[in-house]
Amino acid sequence: MSLFDTHRPLLDNALDALAARGYWSAFPETPSPKVYGETAAADGQAAVMALAGKDYPLHQPGERARVAPERSPYGVRLDIRYPECDPGALIAAAQATEPAWIALGPRGRIGVLLEALTRIHQRSHEMAHSVMLTTGQGPMMAFQAGGPHAQDRALEAIAQAWKAMADIPAQVRWEKPQGKRPPIVMNKHFEIVGRGVALVIGCATFPTWNTYPGLFAALATGNPVIVKPHPNAVLPAALTVSILRQVLTEQGLDPNVVTLAVTPDPAVTQALATHPAVASIDFTGGNAFGQWLLANARQARVYAEMAGVNTIVIESTDHYDAMLRNVAFSLSLYSGQMCTTTQNILVAQGGIQTDQGHKTFDQVGQDLAAAIGALLAKPKVVGAVLGAVCSTDTLERIEASGKTGKTVLASKRLQHPEFPQAQLRTPAVIALTQADDAVYKRECFGPVSYLVATESSDASALLAQSMIREHGALTLGVYSTDAGYIEQMIAVSRRAQVALSINLTQDVYVNQTSAFSDHHGTGGNPAANASYTNLAFVADRFVVVQWREHA
Amino acid sequence: MSLFDTHRPLLDNALDALAARGYWSAFPETPSPKVYGETAAADGQAAVMALAGKDYPLHQPGERARVAPERSPYGVRLDIRYPECDPGALIAAAQATEPAWIALGPRGRIGVLLEALTRIHQRSHEMAHSVMLTTGQGPMMAFQAGGPHAQDRALEAIAQAWKAMADIPAQVRWEKPQGKRPPIVMNKHFEIVGRGVALVIGCATFPTWNTYPGLFAALATGNPVIVKPHPNAVLPAALTVSILRQVLTEQGLDPNVVTLAVTPDPAVTQALATHPAVASIDFTGGNAFGQWLLANARQARVYAEMAGVNTIVIESTDHYDAMLRNVAFSLSLYSGQMCTTTQNILVAQGGIQTDQGHKTFDQVGQDLAAAIGALLAKPKVVGAVLGAVCSTDTLERIEASGKTGKTVLASKRLQHPEFPQAQLRTPAVIALTQADDAVYKRECFGPVSYLVATESSDASALLAQSMIREHGALTLGVYSTDAGYIEQMIAVSRRAQVALSINLTQDVYVNQTSAFSDHHGTGGNPAANASYTNLAFVADRFVVVQWREHA
């Protein structure tokens, strides 16, 4: 049985889920021993630590050095030495694989990818530990977002690619009537041809979740891929690339369909990105490099997910405590280092109506601070929810945040029970007025949120709209008991082209999306020009080449 | 019954045709009185001539003058005065229509568009005469390409847009199990939101066929459109825009969903193209302005169809006479003014094997010249096939072509039986060697073809590949009796990402594509970055905005 036929049920389930957009997941998010095996967690951790201090087992063309750029935010010594390869050699190796990878066709390619994805899934605990140690995520998030949720997004990208490619029949008979004369009959062949070498540039915080959609979409549609991980989060990408190369090799294919480009030198990344053979770039990261790519890598189609100013508007609520708990959790999760974490919380300066009576602006701030404090009062929660800060830039932003406004809640350093060197930081909340737009309209990545006193709730809506149209956002939330105000915020979300979460009070958070149902990014505001994972994310990664002849 | 329901069978038939990609057409290509009515042709011509010398009945915001920029290649005096509108006023008017046009939803919009398309179809003879008089096309091509074939491409774009939009359910219930606790249940809404104002820039030669895909794709996906026709081919666009505005008005919608921007001033077009509100641009025309748009209209997604060096490789044939007749017709049709017309014919310097024995390179040239001469010997054919040259630049290129190589067949001016001022020109064929790449690698738009003596047939294949990768092409043809050589040329078409026609000898020509079956352009080489009409042409014209709330 072909790999495609073996995994066809998985693909079909994913296609059904995409059509329905209800809840579905191919890969269980609970790291339960019953699901993953009694020793799976310990085995995964051991497998990662067995790599520490060694040459990573990856052999690629053009190796010119070994580099070990990772510094764990948990202070765990990794010192894994990856090959640093000549960019030209990686490109040439990728190009050499194109004819066979294209000739394999959609079924052949998707069979290989689903086999690799299944094996990635089996190693979820290893993947989780590699994500945790390199990014600073807490163990639960590292497992879920780095493992099954990332795998779901990969499957979603594969399923969308399949849909787009299956739209084209491979061959047809074309018969044009000619009145009383015999018809003109032609045979036509249509082939899916990848656009060329794809470069997938990962980020420091979600090295699998943000890499898999572009990686699997590009591969499925017939493009060889060079994965360029963030220098501080190489291992999760290296494990992924190794598994893909292993399956390719087993299938008699050239493993250089997927290679890993490890480099701490931005000039090397720039050289790769602007190489004439690179036809597409998937990028997750900051605006500066994203805009550089859009301006300079003009030969490539760039799918960029950058930064924005995610916003929650609080107009009123009939679940005040639950709202505060929900927002507190959103701000705390991974110490605000998600690209979807709320930065700006807009509250009318006159305060809000709640089920506990009117609350002044100051009171909302104090109550939010108290909710964050209550959430993080338990040491067990701290290590699980916060995670470690993964960059010194973020630590500096936290330090500087107190000078930008009135501190409602100061960020504190907490001790991690297991990892004494981990920089655990609690969220800072800074009060501003609407006039302080020089502060709150800039992204301040990390656990810093601004509570902005707006002139009115209508002003909040207008501000959210203009701010997101101008500076982008991946998420927008609203709390209101007023159906008219919610309608107004829906119009805001439409005009600013951003997803809206309304009155989240239960175990769903504005910064989380669910594969097969929620889109991540709309692609319609400055935070991202693409969306995980819609048809537009896959449909332009290949062209259809046809040939026709008389029958 | 809604317009959508009324026209649903037409849409369904188009969707079936796209899935099958066999022959299908919604709109009969024969201008037969039995199909279109006994007086339809005369009525259509009369309707066009009734507009001559008058203000065109179109009233739009920001009108600041009336302009009559058209000069018919047939010498017919049109002098139709169109409104020239302030670009800012057109943009503002388009933006004002966005909320209602988006709110109408895919069904509502497609109902309006199919109603308008049906009315456009009913006026095919009027459309044909307006295309003929403004472009110089012969009457049959003006009818077919300007009427039903353009309408088929419009329907194809609408059907693809429907597919891409129907991929997203409007609302769903999302229910996530929580073990023994009750599930988390959310209601989610997904809305198709157009990216913003679309600009559709038409060309001088196919003012409907090349305008309709972008126009109807952009409208269907929720974007208001400003149609900017070529100054010499305004009327077909004006008639189209008027019909759309009429249907919009009847439906109680703002007609400024579609407006016409007539201007002879390139600076006005540039101002429109770079306006921050313009989110997409569809462009058909020369490389210079296409590249300008790609470099300067950075705020917009540009779908560009530009120029290339269309090529036929002749390796051998067992239908020598039929091959020559087929190529002669391709070169003659509309005097080579199709963006798909073959420019370069590659023949090995040692000649070719045919069913009539070996033919030297020189003999092939003489026989091709003779075939063109035989085709154009009948005065009736001349007016029908050639059409009139529509630009003085093209006339100059014809004059200059004799100096670029050895003239195998000189272009001749012929008299049109009806229109004495029409510039009828027969194709020129110029012999070159492979070394003359400075000549044949540049597009020479119009009835000039180069017969290039290559070092060998293998050299022809390599040259075709490198030339098309570097300079682009919309069409590639091959004649060969050698299955291995055809395989080689299929590989060339794949690497150069260009459609290949193999051994065309019957009534199918390399420069023609059939909607619902053949793609026009692959989008994968420098001649065009988009394809009529695949999913990629429609899928990124809208974003999906979602909102979610607890059930």
Side-chain angles (χ1 to χ4, degrees), chain A residues 151-334:
Chain A
Q151 294 150 19
D152 277 340
R153 285 285 179 198
L155 178 58
E156 184 184 63
I158 292 168
Q160 289 284 24
W162 170 255
K163 256 200 295 188
M165 295 189 291
D167 193 52
I168 305 291
Q171 57 188 68
V172 304
R173 186 179 169 90
W174 181 88
E175 194 166 323
K176 182 175 180 178
Q178 299 290 296
K180 290 169 188 164
R181 291 179 294 148
I184 304 175
V185 185
M186 302 199 82
N187 291 324
K188 299 186 181 186
H189 300 256
F190 301 92
E191 190 172 275
I192 305 290
V193 177
R195 283 191 169 271
V197 178
L199 176 65
V200 178
I201 302 176
C203 63
T205 48
F206 290 91
T208 57
W209 198 93
N210 276 96
T211 294
Y212 284 3
L215 170 62
F216 284 92
L219 287 171
T221 49
N223 308 280
V225 175
I226 299 172
V227 177
K228 197 316 223 164
H230 190 280
N232 210 52
V234 177
L235 185 54
L239 292 171
T240 303
V241 167
S242 293
I243 293 168
L244 280 161
R245 289 171 64 89
Q246 176 65 32
V247 175
L248 287 162
T249 304
E250 289 171 17
Q251 295 298 311
L253 294 159
D254 184 337
N256 293 327
V257 168
V258 194
T259 58
L260 188 73
V262 181
T263 177
D265 181 0
V268 174
T269 308
Q270 292 174 343
L272 274 171
T274 54
H275 194 287
V278 169
S280 70
I281 299 174
D282 288 87
F283 169 73
T284 309
N287 293 59
F289 193 57
Q291 292 301 334
W292 186 93
L293 287 172
L294 287 163
N296 291 279
R298 301 292 305 283
Q299 88 292 347
R301 172 81 188 267
V302 177
Y303 301 85
E305 199 218 283
M306 299 173 287
V309 282
N310 302 312
T311 298
I312 289 178
V313 174
I314 304 180
E315 189 269 339
S316 59
T317 177
D318 50 10
H319 289 80
Y320 188 60
D321 288 341
M323 172 189 85
L324 293 171
R325 278 197 303 272
N326 190 286
V327 175
F329 188 86
S330 282
L331 302 186
S332 302
L333 195 57
Y334 188 24

Side-chain angles (χ1 to χ4, degrees), chain A residues 163 167 191 294 494, chain B residues 163 167 191 294 298 494:
Chain A
K163 256 200 295 188
D167 193 52
E191 190 172 275
L294 287 163
R494 192 184 287 126
Chain B
K163 256 199 296 187
D167 193 52
E191 190 171 278
L294 288 162
R298 301 292 303 284
R494 192 185 287 127

Side-chain angles (χ1 to χ4, degrees), chain B residues 458-473:
Chain B
D458 284 348
S460 295
L462 282 175
L463 177 59
Q465 180 174 312
S466 64
M467 191 160 59
I468 296 172
R469 283 175 70 108
E470 196 178 346
H471 301 284

Side-chain angles (χ1 to χ4, degrees), chain A residues 29 163 167 176 188 191 194 294 298 494 497 500-502 505 512 517-519 546 548 550, chain B residues 29 163 167 176 188 191 194 294 298 494 497 500-502 505 512 517-519 546 548 550:
Chain A
E29 69 179 6
K163 256 200 295 188
D167 193 52
K176 182 175 180 178
K188 299 186 181 186
E191 190 172 275
L294 287 163
R298 301 292 305 283
R494 192 184 287 126
Q497 305 196 345
L500 177 68
S501 294
I502 301 165
T505 51
Q512 294 179 323
S517 180
D518 298 317
H519 292 90
Q546 69 175 82
R548 58 182 183 176
H550 297 298
Chain B
E29 69 179 8
K163 256 199 296 187
D167 193 52
K176 181 175 180 178
K188 300 187 181 186
E191 190 171 278
L294 288 162
R298 301 292 303 284
R494 192 185 287 127
Q497 305 197 346
L500 177 67
S501 294
I502 301 165
T505 49
Q512 294 180 324
S517 181
D518 298 317
H519 293 89
Q546 68 175 84
R548 58 181 183 177
H550 298 297

Side-chain angles (χ1 to χ4, degrees), chain B residues 311-333:
Chain B
T311 299
I312 288 177
V313 174
I314 303 180
E315 189 269 340
S316 59
T317 179
D318 50 9
H319 289 79
Y320 188 59
D321 288 341
M323 172 188 86
L324 293 172
R325 278 197 304 272
N326 190 285
V327 175
F329 188 85
S330 281
L331 302 187
S332 302
L333 195 57

Side-chain angles (χ1 to χ4, degrees), chain B residues 60 85-95 196-202 211 214-215 218-219 223-229 237 241 256-262 268-269 272-273 275 277-278 280-282:
Chain B
Q60 298 183 151
C85 299
D86 175 64
L90 292 179
I91 299 256
Q95 284 185 297
V197 179
L199 177 65
V200 178
I201 303 176
T211 293
L215 169 63
L219 287 171
N223 307 280
V225 174
I226 299 173
V227 177
K228 198 312 225 167
V241 167
N256 293 327
V257 168
V258 194
T259 57
L260 188 73
V262 181
V268 173
T269 308
L272 275 171
H275 194 286
V278 169
S280 70
I281 299 174
D282 287 87

